[in-house]
Every structure is written in structure tokens, then in C-alpha cells.
Amino acid sequence: MSPEQRIENNSWKIHKLRYPELKQMFEDQDYKCTICKNEVTLDENKKTRGVVDHCHTSQKIRSILCQNCNRSLGLMKENIESLKNMINYIESYNV
């Protein structure tokens, strides 16, 4: 199985995205994470592999994120108030 087929199989199972659609999402974002703007790749064997982010309530696909940003959102349970509090906390100690 080619890398493209393996990527498509995984993205189809989880998000119902075919490889061309997934690749287009990466291209539309210039292969950058929507949040931190770091480079992401489709290569599943690299640490910079991008992931499809989605709303856990509606299952709607949002965009491509790096693994760190995607993991951070998940750890914070996408709680907007908590994320705002984190920003305020960091800013208050950024002297």
C-alpha cells in the first residue's frame, strides 16, 4: 500500500476525506498550522505531520493543525474561557 493510500484510508475512516481533498486542505493553508503557523506535512512518519482538526460536538471539520496545537486544544477540552485565562496568565507574567 502506498503512503497516499494509507493516509487516505485513515482520513476516510475518521473524517470521510479522500486523499485529494485532504491534500487540498494542506495546500490551501500553505502547509501551515492554522494556529501557530508552523509548517506541517502530510507525511505520517514525520514529527511535523499535520492533523485534521474537528469539533468534537458537531464532528465538523475545521482545519489542519500541527500535533502540538491539536493536542493542546484537546487537553483544554476546547474550553474557551480556560484558553482565555491561559492567555491572561501568560500575559500577566510576560514582563
Side-chain angles (χ1 to χ4, degrees):
M1 181 180 302
S2 74
E4 289 84 9
Q5 289 170 319
R6 198 168 38 255
I7 291 167
E8 179 168 302
N9 285 346
N10 290 337
S11 69
W12 182 255
K13 279 188 233 176
I14 300 168
H15 302 293
K16 302 298 184 234
L17 283 175
R18 295 286 185 208
Y19 185 79
E21 297 167 305
L22 183 62
K23 187 170 187 237
Q24 187 64 53
M25 287 179 71
F26 276 80
E27 289 174 359
D28 289 348
Q29 291 182 214
D30 296 321
Y31 289 84
K32 300 211 182 288
C33 170
T34 301
I35 295 174
C36 70
K37 307 303 182 200
N38 285 335
E39 285 191 26
V40 292
T41 180
L42 269 165
D43 188 337
E44 59 189 14
N45 296 316
K46 296 205 174 185
K47 289 182 180 181
T48 57
R49 178 180 58 88
V51 295
V52 177
D53 179 51
H54 67 283
C55 173
H56 289 259
T57 304
S58 69
Q59 302 304 312
K60 183 179 178 187
I61 293 171
R62 295 189 281 218
S63 69
I64 303 296
L65 299 179
C66 70
Q67 293 179 51
N68 287 338
C69 287
N70 189 59
R71 195 174 300 119
S72 297
L73 282 178
L75 288 170
M76 293 305 297
K77 299 184 180 0
E78 299 179 10
N79 183 301
I80 293 170
E81 193 61 35
S82 292
L83 291 164
K84 286 179 182 178
N85 289 339
M86 283 183 81
I87 292 167
N88 291 335
Y89 172 79
I90 292 168
E91 288 178 340
S92 72
Y93 284 94
N94 192 11
V95 288

